[in-house]
Amino acid sequence: SYELTQPPSVSVSPGQTASITCSGDKLGDKYAYWYQQKPGQSPILVIYQDNKRPSGIPERFSGSNSGNTATLTISGTQAMDEADYSCQAWDGSTAVFGGGTKLTVL
Amino acid sequence: QVQLQQSGPGLVKPSQTLSLTCVISGDSVSSNTAAWNWIRRSPSRGLEWLGRTYYRSKWFNNYAVSMKSRITINPDTSKNQFSLQLNSVTPEDTAMYYCARDPAAGGPFDYWGQGTLVTVSS
């Protein structure tokens, strides 16, 4: 079965750039999606179709996808960005999520 | 604006059936473009897609391979909702369960329910 791999944790200082990777076999041939989830809340879509931002998502969130790796980049990271981030792709008719990355802003 | 409202018990005994419902407003379970999904999150496994139902002149279902023998997702057009049934639950099925819309059956999950914490315990 298809698998997506993320680092369990990433730390960043306020105002710096955070990069969260998601790896999967030929992931670049699929669309990658990214979700943010804060404690006690439902996930929120922050990037779709590799690099598109839904309405209401700040411009500091961006995405890329090539080869075997998709990357979520948060520029000028703010304390409010501290959350779990999960990538997702479709493998045929099955949705697959990465294991999630806890972003700590310190 | 699409809203998804979940309901169902928060405690299920081992070997019994977990049943949850997701009521849709602002869209239709019979949409010819959207798909209606169940997803869960546990500390050990992160987000895990369970399956979906969607309508394209007839009803289709897709399920995660790991769930296939135990799961049923059904639409209810009279109430504009869809449901999850998971049979023979074990403590490993303890998780936060979410319903979610995919606007294009192969796109992102753009609207989510509020979540239901289901604990499997005797």
PDB file of all heavy atoms in Angstrom, chain B residues 65-104:
ATOM      1  N   VAL B  65      -8.326  -0.462   2.824  1.00  0.00           N
ATOM      2  CA  VAL B  65      -8.106  -1.905   2.842  1.00  0.00           C
ATOM      3  C   VAL B  65      -8.115  -2.447   4.269  1.00  0.00           C
ATOM      4  O   VAL B  65      -8.669  -3.515   4.544  1.00  0.00           O
ATOM      5  CB  VAL B  65      -6.782  -2.247   2.130  1.00  0.00           C
ATOM      6  CG1 VAL B  65      -6.429  -3.716   2.329  1.00  0.00           C
ATOM      7  CG2 VAL B  65      -6.868  -1.905   0.660  1.00  0.00           C
ATOM      8  N   SER B  66      -7.558  -1.668   5.182  1.00  0.00           N
ATOM      9  CA  SER B  66      -7.459  -2.124   6.581  1.00  0.00           C
ATOM     10  C   SER B  66      -8.829  -2.223   7.254  1.00  0.00           C
ATOM     11  O   SER B  66      -8.964  -2.859   8.299  1.00  0.00           O
ATOM     12  CB  SER B  66      -6.562  -1.172   7.361  1.00  0.00           C
ATOM     13  OG  SER B  66      -7.090   0.136   7.348  1.00  0.00           O
ATOM     14  N   MET B  67      -9.831  -1.575   6.674  1.00  0.00           N
ATOM     15  CA  MET B  67     -11.177  -1.557   7.268  1.00  0.00           C
ATOM     16  C   MET B  67     -12.171  -2.429   6.525  1.00  0.00           C
ATOM     17  O   MET B  67     -13.278  -2.650   7.011  1.00  0.00           O
ATOM     18  CB  MET B  67     -11.729  -0.120   7.241  1.00  0.00           C
ATOM     19  CG  MET B  67     -10.936   0.864   8.038  1.00  0.00           C
ATOM     20  SD  MET B  67     -11.174   0.623   9.792  1.00  0.00           S
ATOM     21  CE  MET B  67      -9.503   0.703  10.342  1.00  0.00           C
ATOM     22  N   LYS B  68     -11.793  -2.919   5.352  1.00  0.00           N
ATOM     23  CA  LYS B  68     -12.765  -3.396   4.388  1.00  0.00           C
ATOM     24  C   LYS B  68     -13.744  -4.429   4.924  1.00  0.00           C
ATOM     25  O   LYS B  68     -14.908  -4.441   4.547  1.00  0.00           O
ATOM     26  CB  LYS B  68     -12.044  -3.947   3.162  1.00  0.00           C
ATOM     27  CG  LYS B  68     -12.790  -3.732   1.862  1.00  0.00           C
ATOM     28  CD  LYS B  68     -11.845  -3.762   0.678  1.00  0.00           C
ATOM     29  CE  LYS B  68     -12.508  -3.181  -0.551  1.00  0.00           C
ATOM     30  NZ  LYS B  68     -11.592  -3.018  -1.658  1.00  0.00           N
ATOM     31  N   SER B  69     -13.319  -5.284   5.813  1.00  0.00           N
ATOM     32  CA  SER B  69     -14.209  -6.344   6.266  1.00  0.00           C
ATOM     33  C   SER B  69     -15.161  -5.888   7.360  1.00  0.00           C
ATOM     34  O   SER B  69     -16.112  -6.603   7.686  1.00  0.00           O
ATOM     35  CB  SER B  69     -13.379  -7.527   6.760  1.00  0.00           C
ATOM     36  OG  SER B  69     -12.572  -7.119   7.857  1.00  0.00           O
ATOM     37  N   ARG B  70     -14.927  -4.707   7.924  1.00  0.00           N
ATOM     38  CA  ARG B  70     -15.689  -4.277   9.103  1.00  0.00           C
ATOM     39  C   ARG B  70     -16.517  -3.025   8.894  1.00  0.00           C
ATOM     40  O   ARG B  70     -17.287  -2.649   9.766  1.00  0.00           O
ATOM     41  CB  ARG B  70     -14.726  -4.014  10.273  1.00  0.00           C
ATOM     42  CG  ARG B  70     -13.899  -5.184  10.727  1.00  0.00           C
ATOM     43  CD  ARG B  70     -13.295  -4.896  12.094  1.00  0.00           C
ATOM     44  NE  ARG B  70     -12.279  -3.865  12.052  1.00  0.00           N
ATOM     45  CZ  ARG B  70     -12.167  -2.888  12.947  1.00  0.00           C
ATOM     46  NH1 ARG B  70     -13.045  -2.793  13.941  1.00  0.00           N
ATOM     47  NH2 ARG B  70     -11.188  -2.002  12.866  1.00  0.00           N
ATOM     48  N   ILE B  71     -16.345  -2.335   7.766  1.00  0.00           N
ATOM     49  CA  ILE B  71     -16.892  -0.989   7.629  1.00  0.00           C
ATOM     50  C   ILE B  71     -18.021  -0.932   6.616  1.00  0.00           C
ATOM     51  O   ILE B  71     -18.005  -1.652   5.601  1.00  0.00           O
ATOM     52  CB  ILE B  71     -15.765   0.003   7.224  1.00  0.00           C
ATOM     53  CG1 ILE B  71     -16.253   1.450   7.295  1.00  0.00           C
ATOM     54  CG2 ILE B  71     -15.228  -0.326   5.846  1.00  0.00           C
ATOM     55  CD1 ILE B  71     -15.152   2.476   7.075  1.00  0.00           C
ATOM     56  N   THR B  72     -19.016  -0.088   6.917  1.00  0.00           N
ATOM     57  CA  THR B  72     -20.064   0.238   5.964  1.00  0.00           C
ATOM     58  C   THR B  72     -20.338   1.731   6.065  1.00  0.00           C
ATOM     59  O   THR B  72     -20.504   2.259   7.175  1.00  0.00           O
ATOM     60  CB  THR B  72     -21.362  -0.531   6.264  1.00  0.00           C
ATOM     61  OG1 THR B  72     -21.108  -1.928   6.270  1.00  0.00           O
ATOM     62  CG2 THR B  72     -22.416  -0.225   5.205  1.00  0.00           C
ATOM     63  N   ILE B  73     -20.371   2.396   4.930  1.00  0.00           N
ATOM     64  CA  ILE B  73     -20.755   3.811   4.865  1.00  0.00           C
ATOM     65  C   ILE B  73     -21.991   3.896   3.974  1.00  0.00           C
ATOM     66  O   ILE B  73     -21.963   3.447   2.831  1.00  0.00           O
ATOM     67  CB  ILE B  73     -19.621   4.691   4.316  1.00  0.00           C
ATOM     68  CG1 ILE B  73     -18.423   4.650   5.271  1.00  0.00           C
ATOM     69  CG2 ILE B  73     -20.105   6.127   4.128  1.00  0.00           C
ATOM     70  CD1 ILE B  73     -17.203   5.418   4.782  1.00  0.00           C
ATOM     71  N   ASN B  74     -23.054   4.456   4.529  1.00  0.00           N
ATOM     72  CA  ASN B  74     -24.323   4.524   3.801  1.00  0.00           C
ATOM     73  C   ASN B  74     -24.838   5.950   3.690  1.00  0.00           C
ATOM     74  O   ASN B  74     -24.824   6.692   4.685  1.00  0.00           O
ATOM     75  CB  ASN B  74     -25.391   3.695   4.520  1.00  0.00           C
ATOM     76  CG  ASN B  74     -25.268   2.221   4.237  1.00  0.00           C
ATOM     77  OD1 ASN B  74     -24.889   1.812   3.136  1.00  0.00           O
ATOM     78  ND2 ASN B  74     -25.579   1.404   5.221  1.00  0.00           N
ATOM     79  N   PRO B  75     -25.343   6.328   2.524  1.00  0.00           N
ATOM     80  CA  PRO B  75     -26.029   7.608   2.391  1.00  0.00           C
ATOM     81  C   PRO B  75     -27.494   7.468   2.786  1.00  0.00           C
ATOM     82  O   PRO B  75     -28.065   6.372   2.680  1.00  0.00           O
ATOM     83  CB  PRO B  75     -25.910   7.907   0.899  1.00  0.00           C
ATOM     84  CG  PRO B  75     -25.930   6.542   0.267  1.00  0.00           C
ATOM     85  CD  PRO B  75     -25.259   5.621   1.238  1.00  0.00           C
ATOM     86  N   ASP B  76     -28.059   8.572   3.245  1.00  0.00           N
ATOM     87  CA  ASP B  76     -29.500   8.633   3.528  1.00  0.00           C
ATOM     88  C   ASP B  76     -30.009   9.903   2.865  1.00  0.00           C
ATOM     89  O   ASP B  76     -29.895  11.002   3.415  1.00  0.00           O
ATOM     90  CB  ASP B  76     -29.732   8.659   5.033  1.00  0.00           C
ATOM     91  CG  ASP B  76     -31.212   8.665   5.401  1.00  0.00           C
ATOM     92  OD1 ASP B  76     -32.051   8.983   4.519  1.00  0.00           O
ATOM     93  OD2 ASP B  76     -31.545   8.376   6.554  1.00  0.00           O
ATOM     94  N   THR B  77     -30.571   9.748   1.683  1.00  0.00           N
ATOM     95  CA  THR B  77     -30.977  10.925   0.906  1.00  0.00           C
ATOM     96  C   THR B  77     -32.168  11.636   1.531  1.00  0.00           C
ATOM     97  O   THR B  77     -32.304  12.851   1.393  1.00  0.00           O
ATOM     98  CB  THR B  77     -31.323  10.524  -0.536  1.00  0.00           C
ATOM     99  OG1 THR B  77     -32.350   9.528  -0.517  1.00  0.00           O
ATOM    100  CG2 THR B  77     -30.096   9.951  -1.242  1.00  0.00           C
ATOM    101  N   SER B  78     -33.029  10.901   2.248  1.00  0.00           N
ATOM    102  CA  SER B  78     -34.211  11.524   2.847  1.00  0.00           C
ATOM    103  C   SER B  78     -33.838  12.519   3.952  1.00  0.00           C
ATOM    104  O   SER B  78     -34.568  13.471   4.216  1.00  0.00           O
ATOM    105  CB  SER B  78     -35.145  10.453   3.391  1.00  0.00           C
ATOM    106  OG  SER B  78     -34.538   9.786   4.482  1.00  0.00           O
ATOM    107  N   LYS B  79     -32.684  12.288   4.581  1.00  0.00           N
ATOM    108  CA  LYS B  79     -32.244  13.171   5.673  1.00  0.00           C
ATOM    109  C   LYS B  79     -30.975  13.950   5.319  1.00  0.00           C
ATOM    110  O   LYS B  79     -30.427  14.664   6.165  1.00  0.00           O
ATOM    111  CB  LYS B  79     -31.998  12.350   6.935  1.00  0.00           C
ATOM    112  CG  LYS B  79     -33.254  11.678   7.473  1.00  0.00           C
ATOM    113  CD  LYS B  79     -32.952  10.873   8.741  1.00  0.00           C
ATOM    114  CE  LYS B  79     -34.217  10.209   9.249  1.00  0.00           C
ATOM    115  NZ  LYS B  79     -33.961   9.387  10.462  1.00  0.00           N
ATOM    116  N   ASN B  80     -30.525  13.808   4.079  1.00  0.00           N
ATOM    117  CA  ASN B  80     -29.296  14.456   3.616  1.00  0.00           C
ATOM    118  C   ASN B  80     -28.141  14.203   4.592  1.00  0.00           C
ATOM    119  O   ASN B  80     -27.516  15.145   5.130  1.00  0.00           O
ATOM    120  CB  ASN B  80     -29.488  15.960   3.401  1.00  0.00           C
ATOM    121  CG  ASN B  80     -28.430  16.528   2.447  1.00  0.00           C
ATOM    122  OD1 ASN B  80     -27.924  15.831   1.558  1.00  0.00           O
ATOM    123  ND2 ASN B  80     -28.083  17.784   2.640  1.00  0.00           N
ATOM    124  N   GLN B  81     -27.867  12.964   4.831  1.00  0.00           N
ATOM    125  CA  GLN B  81     -26.809  12.583   5.765  1.00  0.00           C
ATOM    126  C   GLN B  81     -26.152  11.292   5.299  1.00  0.00           C
ATOM    127  O   GLN B  81     -26.635  10.643   4.361  1.00  0.00           O
ATOM    128  CB  GLN B  81     -27.380  12.397   7.177  1.00  0.00           C
ATOM    129  CG  GLN B  81     -28.374  11.257   7.293  1.00  0.00           C
ATOM    130  CD  GLN B  81     -29.043  11.218   8.675  1.00  0.00           C
ATOM    131  OE1 GLN B  81     -29.282  12.226   9.328  1.00  0.00           O
ATOM    132  NE2 GLN B  81     -29.324   9.993   9.132  1.00  0.00           N
ATOM    133  N   PHE B  82     -25.055  10.949   5.933  1.00  0.00           N
ATOM    134  CA  PHE B  82     -24.425   9.669   5.687  1.00  0.00           C
ATOM    135  C   PHE B  82     -23.899   9.117   7.005  1.00  0.00           C
ATOM    136  O   PHE B  82     -23.701   9.862   7.979  1.00  0.00           O
ATOM    137  CB  PHE B  82     -23.324   9.753   4.617  1.00  0.00           C
ATOM    138  CG  PHE B  82     -22.157  10.645   4.943  1.00  0.00           C
ATOM    139  CD1 PHE B  82     -20.917  10.116   5.230  1.00  0.00           C
ATOM    140  CD2 PHE B  82     -22.285  12.033   4.918  1.00  0.00           C
ATOM    141  CE1 PHE B  82     -19.834  10.932   5.504  1.00  0.00           C
ATOM    142  CE2 PHE B  82     -21.218  12.859   5.208  1.00  0.00           C
ATOM    143  CZ  PHE B  82     -19.982  12.314   5.495  1.00  0.00           C
ATOM    144  N   SER B  83     -23.704   7.831   7.043  1.00  0.00           N
ATOM    145  CA  SER B  83     -23.384   7.178   8.300  1.00  0.00           C
ATOM    146  C   SER B  83     -22.170   6.269   8.171  1.00  0.00           C
ATOM    147  O   SER B  83     -21.784   5.852   7.074  1.00  0.00           O
ATOM    148  CB  SER B  83     -24.586   6.368   8.787  1.00  0.00           C
ATOM    149  OG  SER B  83     -24.877   5.327   7.865  1.00  0.00           O
ATOM    150  N   LEU B  84     -21.600   5.997   9.325  1.00  0.00           N
ATOM    151  CA  LEU B  84     -20.469   5.066   9.438  1.00  0.00           C
ATOM    152  C   LEU B  84     -20.878   3.956  10.392  1.00  0.00           C
ATOM    153  O   LEU B  84     -21.391   4.222  11.483  1.00  0.00           O
ATOM    154  CB  LEU B  84     -19.240   5.777   9.997  1.00  0.00           C
ATOM    155  CG  LEU B  84     -18.083   4.886  10.456  1.00  0.00           C
ATOM    156  CD1 LEU B  84     -17.412   4.211   9.264  1.00  0.00           C
ATOM    157  CD2 LEU B  84     -17.049   5.693  11.263  1.00  0.00           C
ATOM    158  N   GLN B  85     -20.631   2.728   9.977  1.00  0.00           N
ATOM    159  CA  GLN B  85     -20.752   1.591  10.886  1.00  0.00           C
ATOM    160  C   GLN B  85     -19.436   0.820  10.839  1.00  0.00           C
ATOM    161  O   GLN B  85     -18.971   0.456   9.750  1.00  0.00           O
ATOM    162  CB  GLN B  85     -21.913   0.681  10.489  1.00  0.00           C
ATOM    163  CG  GLN B  85     -23.276   1.251  10.816  1.00  0.00           C
ATOM    164  CD  GLN B  85     -24.363   0.192  10.742  1.00  0.00           C
ATOM    165  OE1 GLN B  85     -24.442  -0.547   9.764  1.00  0.00           O
ATOM    166  NE2 GLN B  85     -25.207   0.132  11.756  1.00  0.00           N
ATOM    167  N   LEU B  86     -18.882   0.591  12.015  1.00  0.00           N
ATOM    168  CA  LEU B  86     -17.640  -0.172  12.125  1.00  0.00           C
ATOM    169  C   LEU B  86     -17.910  -1.325  13.095  1.00  0.00           C
ATOM    170  O   LEU B  86     -18.209  -1.099  14.271  1.00  0.00           O
ATOM    171  CB  LEU B  86     -16.505   0.712  12.628  1.00  0.00           C
ATOM    172  CG  LEU B  86     -15.094   0.123  12.617  1.00  0.00           C
ATOM    173  CD1 LEU B  86     -14.664  -0.213  11.191  1.00  0.00           C
ATOM    174  CD2 LEU B  86     -14.101   1.086  13.265  1.00  0.00           C
ATOM    175  N   ASN B  87     -17.811  -2.540  12.574  1.00  0.00           N
ATOM    176  CA  ASN B  87     -18.153  -3.724  13.365  1.00  0.00           C
ATOM    177  C   ASN B  87     -16.962  -4.251  14.147  1.00  0.00           C
ATOM    178  O   ASN B  87     -15.812  -3.944  13.849  1.00  0.00           O
ATOM    179  CB  ASN B  87     -18.652  -4.842  12.432  1.00  0.00           C
ATOM    180  CG  ASN B  87     -19.848  -4.418  11.609  1.00  0.00           C
ATOM    181  OD1 ASN B  87     -20.704  -3.693  12.077  1.00  0.00           O
ATOM    182  ND2 ASN B  87     -19.887  -4.864  10.356  1.00  0.00           N
ATOM    183  N   SER B  88     -17.276  -5.057  15.151  1.00  0.00           N
ATOM    184  CA  SER B  88     -16.256  -5.801  15.902  1.00  0.00           C
ATOM    185  C   SER B  88     -15.121  -4.897  16.380  1.00  0.00           C
ATOM    186  O   SER B  88     -13.945  -5.180  16.146  1.00  0.00           O
ATOM    187  CB  SER B  88     -15.695  -6.938  15.032  1.00  0.00           C
ATOM    188  OG  SER B  88     -16.721  -7.765  14.555  1.00  0.00           O
ATOM    189  N   VAL B  89     -15.499  -3.822  17.048  1.00  0.00           N
ATOM    190  CA  VAL B  89     -14.475  -2.848  17.459  1.00  0.00           C
ATOM    191  C   VAL B  89     -13.616  -3.402  18.589  1.00  0.00           C
ATOM    192  O   VAL B  89     -14.041  -4.263  19.377  1.00  0.00           O
ATOM    193  CB  VAL B  89     -15.104  -1.508  17.870  1.00  0.00           C
ATOM    194  CG1 VAL B  89     -15.816  -0.865  16.673  1.00  0.00           C
ATOM    195  CG2 VAL B  89     -16.035  -1.668  19.057  1.00  0.00           C
ATOM    196  N   THR B  90     -12.396  -2.903  18.642  1.00  0.00           N
ATOM    197  CA  THR B  90     -11.445  -3.215  19.709  1.00  0.00           C
ATOM    198  C   THR B  90     -10.933  -1.889  20.277  1.00  0.00           C
ATOM    199  O   THR B  90     -11.187  -0.822  19.705  1.00  0.00           O
ATOM    200  CB  THR B  90     -10.261  -4.030  19.177  1.00  0.00           C
ATOM    201  OG1 THR B  90      -9.433  -3.170  18.362  1.00  0.00           O
ATOM    202  CG2 THR B  90     -10.734  -5.217  18.342  1.00  0.00           C
ATOM    203  N   PRO B  91     -10.199  -1.939  21.366  1.00  0.00           N
ATOM    204  CA  PRO B  91      -9.640  -0.692  21.909  1.00  0.00           C
ATOM    205  C   PRO B  91      -8.794   0.075  20.897  1.00  0.00           C
ATOM    206  O   PRO B  91      -8.669   1.302  21.001  1.00  0.00           O
ATOM    207  CB  PRO B  91      -8.799  -1.178  23.093  1.00  0.00           C
ATOM    208  CG  PRO B  91      -9.525  -2.408  23.571  1.00  0.00           C
ATOM    209  CD  PRO B  91     -10.015  -3.068  22.314  1.00  0.00           C
ATOM    210  N   GLU B  92      -8.231  -0.603  19.906  1.00  0.00           N
ATOM    211  CA  GLU B  92      -7.447   0.091  18.873  1.00  0.00           C
ATOM    212  C   GLU B  92      -8.302   1.001  18.004  1.00  0.00           C
ATOM    213  O   GLU B  92      -7.765   1.841  17.272  1.00  0.00           O
ATOM    214  CB  GLU B  92      -6.711  -0.917  18.001  1.00  0.00           C
ATOM    215  CG  GLU B  92      -5.546  -1.586  18.697  1.00  0.00           C
ATOM    216  CD  GLU B  92      -4.521  -2.140  17.712  1.00  0.00           C
ATOM    217  OE1 GLU B  92      -4.811  -2.192  16.493  1.00  0.00           O
ATOM    218  OE2 GLU B  92      -3.426  -2.503  18.173  1.00  0.00           O
ATOM    219  N   ASP B  93      -9.605   0.840  18.052  1.00  0.00           N
ATOM    220  CA  ASP B  93     -10.502   1.719  17.294  1.00  0.00           C
ATOM    221  C   ASP B  93     -10.847   2.990  18.063  1.00  0.00           C
ATOM    222  O   ASP B  93     -11.592   3.842  17.560  1.00  0.00           O
ATOM    223  CB  ASP B  93     -11.782   0.973  16.919  1.00  0.00           C
ATOM    224  CG  ASP B  93     -11.513  -0.158  15.945  1.00  0.00           C
ATOM    225  OD1 ASP B  93     -10.836   0.097  14.922  1.00  0.00           O
ATOM    226  OD2 ASP B  93     -11.974  -1.291  16.199  1.00  0.00           O
ATOM    227  N   THR B  94     -10.338   3.127  19.266  1.00  0.00           N
ATOM    228  CA  THR B  94     -10.518   4.362  20.024  1.00  0.00           C
ATOM    229  C   THR B  94      -9.831   5.506  19.296  1.00  0.00           C
ATOM    230  O   THR B  94      -8.640   5.448  18.995  1.00  0.00           O
ATOM    231  CB  THR B  94      -9.937   4.203  21.439  1.00  0.00           C
ATOM    232  OG1 THR B  94     -10.694   3.245  22.160  1.00  0.00           O
ATOM    233  CG2 THR B  94      -9.961   5.538  22.182  1.00  0.00           C
ATOM    234  N   ALA B  95     -10.594   6.542  18.982  1.00  0.00           N
ATOM    235  CA  ALA B  95     -10.062   7.643  18.169  1.00  0.00           C
ATOM    236  C   ALA B  95     -11.082   8.773  18.106  1.00  0.00           C
ATOM    237  O   ALA B  95     -12.232   8.619  18.513  1.00  0.00           O
ATOM    238  CB  ALA B  95      -9.748   7.171  16.742  1.00  0.00           C
ATOM    239  N   MET B  96     -10.644   9.908  17.579  1.00  0.00           N
ATOM    240  CA  MET B  96     -11.548  10.987  17.209  1.00  0.00           C
ATOM    241  C   MET B  96     -11.964  10.720  15.771  1.00  0.00           C
ATOM    242  O   MET B  96     -11.115  10.604  14.891  1.00  0.00           O
ATOM    243  CB  MET B  96     -10.844  12.336  17.326  1.00  0.00           C
ATOM    244  CG  MET B  96     -11.737  13.517  17.054  1.00  0.00           C
ATOM    245  SD  MET B  96     -12.948  13.785  18.348  1.00  0.00           S
ATOM    246  CE  MET B  96     -11.909  14.665  19.524  1.00  0.00           C
ATOM    247  N   TYR B  97     -13.269  10.654  15.544  1.00  0.00           N
ATOM    248  CA  TYR B  97     -13.803  10.365  14.219  1.00  0.00           C
ATOM    249  C   TYR B  97     -14.373  11.638  13.607  1.00  0.00           C
ATOM    250  O   TYR B  97     -15.089  12.399  14.274  1.00  0.00           O
ATOM    251  CB  TYR B  97     -14.892   9.291  14.307  1.00  0.00           C
ATOM    252  CG  TYR B  97     -14.333   7.908  14.539  1.00  0.00           C
ATOM    253  CD1 TYR B  97     -13.871   7.532  15.803  1.00  0.00           C
ATOM    254  CD2 TYR B  97     -14.260   6.974  13.506  1.00  0.00           C
ATOM    255  CE1 TYR B  97     -13.341   6.264  16.025  1.00  0.00           C
ATOM    256  CE2 TYR B  97     -13.728   5.715  13.721  1.00  0.00           C
ATOM    257  CZ  TYR B  97     -13.270   5.371  14.989  1.00  0.00           C
ATOM    258  OH  TYR B  97     -12.731   4.115  15.207  1.00  0.00           O
ATOM    259  N   TYR B  98     -14.061  11.851  12.319  1.00  0.00           N
ATOM    260  CA  TYR B  98     -14.528  13.025  11.601  1.00  0.00           C
ATOM    261  C   TYR B  98     -15.233  12.601  10.314  1.00  0.00           C
ATOM    262  O   TYR B  98     -14.802  11.669   9.630  1.00  0.00           O
ATOM    263  CB  TYR B  98     -13.364  13.915  11.181  1.00  0.00           C
ATOM    264  CG  TYR B  98     -12.533  14.480  12.307  1.00  0.00           C
ATOM    265  CD1 TYR B  98     -11.352  13.861  12.708  1.00  0.00           C
ATOM    266  CD2 TYR B  98     -12.914  15.651  12.950  1.00  0.00           C
ATOM    267  CE1 TYR B  98     -10.581  14.374  13.730  1.00  0.00           C
ATOM    268  CE2 TYR B  98     -12.143  16.185  13.975  1.00  0.00           C
ATOM    269  CZ  TYR B  98     -10.980  15.535  14.360  1.00  0.00           C
ATOM    270  OH  TYR B  98     -10.217  16.065  15.372  1.00  0.00           O
ATOM    271  N   CYS B  99     -16.282  13.335   9.957  1.00  0.00           N
ATOM    272  CA  CYS B  99     -16.781  13.250   8.592  1.00  0.00           C
ATOM    273  C   CYS B  99     -16.225  14.440   7.824  1.00  0.00           C
ATOM    274  O   CYS B  99     -15.898  15.484   8.418  1.00  0.00           O
ATOM    275  CB  CYS B  99     -18.303  13.223   8.544  1.00  0.00           C
ATOM    276  SG  CYS B  99     -19.161  14.610   9.328  1.00  0.00           S
ATOM    277  N   ALA B 100     -16.081  14.295   6.532  1.00  0.00           N
ATOM    278  CA  ALA B 100     -15.472  15.355   5.731  1.00  0.00           C
ATOM    279  C   ALA B 100     -15.962  15.286   4.296  1.00  0.00           C
ATOM    280  O   ALA B 100     -16.250  14.201   3.768  1.00  0.00           O
ATOM    281  CB  ALA B 100     -13.943  15.243   5.765  1.00  0.00           C
ATOM    282  N   ARG B 101     -16.047  16.439   3.661  1.00  0.00           N
ATOM    283  CA  ARG B 101     -16.420  16.514   2.253  1.00  0.00           C
ATOM    284  C   ARG B 101     -15.183  16.638   1.379  1.00  0.00           C
ATOM    285  O   ARG B 101     -14.249  17.357   1.693  1.00  0.00           O
ATOM    286  CB  ARG B 101     -17.316  17.737   2.002  1.00  0.00           C
ATOM    287  CG  ARG B 101     -17.835  17.794   0.563  1.00  0.00           C
ATOM    288  CD  ARG B 101     -18.566  19.083   0.257  1.00  0.00           C
ATOM    289  NE  ARG B 101     -17.641  20.158  -0.103  1.00  0.00           N
ATOM    290  CZ  ARG B 101     -17.982  21.212  -0.843  1.00  0.00           C
ATOM    291  NH1 ARG B 101     -19.232  21.329  -1.272  1.00  0.00           N
ATOM    292  NH2 ARG B 101     -17.089  22.147  -1.113  1.00  0.00           N
ATOM    293  N   ASP B 102     -15.193  15.919   0.283  1.00  0.00           N
ATOM    294  CA  ASP B 102     -14.236  16.092  -0.800  1.00  0.00           C
ATOM    295  C   ASP B 102     -15.045  16.608  -1.970  1.00  0.00           C
ATOM    296  O   ASP B 102     -15.912  15.891  -2.483  1.00  0.00           O
ATOM    297  CB  ASP B 102     -13.569  14.749  -1.109  1.00  0.00           C
ATOM    298  CG  ASP B 102     -12.824  14.731  -2.429  1.00  0.00           C
ATOM    299  OD1 ASP B 102     -12.703  15.792  -3.082  1.00  0.00           O
ATOM    300  OD2 ASP B 102     -12.366  13.645  -2.818  1.00  0.00           O
ATOM    301  N   PRO B 103     -14.806  17.829  -2.436  1.00  0.00           N
ATOM    302  CA  PRO B 103     -15.674  18.421  -3.455  1.00  0.00           C
ATOM    303  C   PRO B 103     -15.570  17.777  -4.827  1.00  0.00           C
ATOM    304  O   PRO B 103     -16.400  18.027  -5.689  1.00  0.00           O
ATOM    305  CB  PRO B 103     -15.193  19.876  -3.515  1.00  0.00           C
ATOM    306  CG  PRO B 103     -13.778  19.812  -3.063  1.00  0.00           C
ATOM    307  CD  PRO B 103     -13.722  18.718  -2.040  1.00  0.00           C
ATOM    308  N   ALA B 104     -14.558  16.935  -5.029  1.00  0.00           N
ATOM    309  CA  ALA B 104     -14.324  16.438  -6.380  1.00  0.00           C
ATOM    310  C   ALA B 104     -14.016  14.952  -6.443  1.00  0.00           C
ATOM    311  O   ALA B 104     -13.557  14.471  -7.462  1.00  0.00           O
ATOM    312  CB  ALA B 104     -13.176  17.224  -7.016  1.00  0.00           C
TER     313      ALA B 104
END
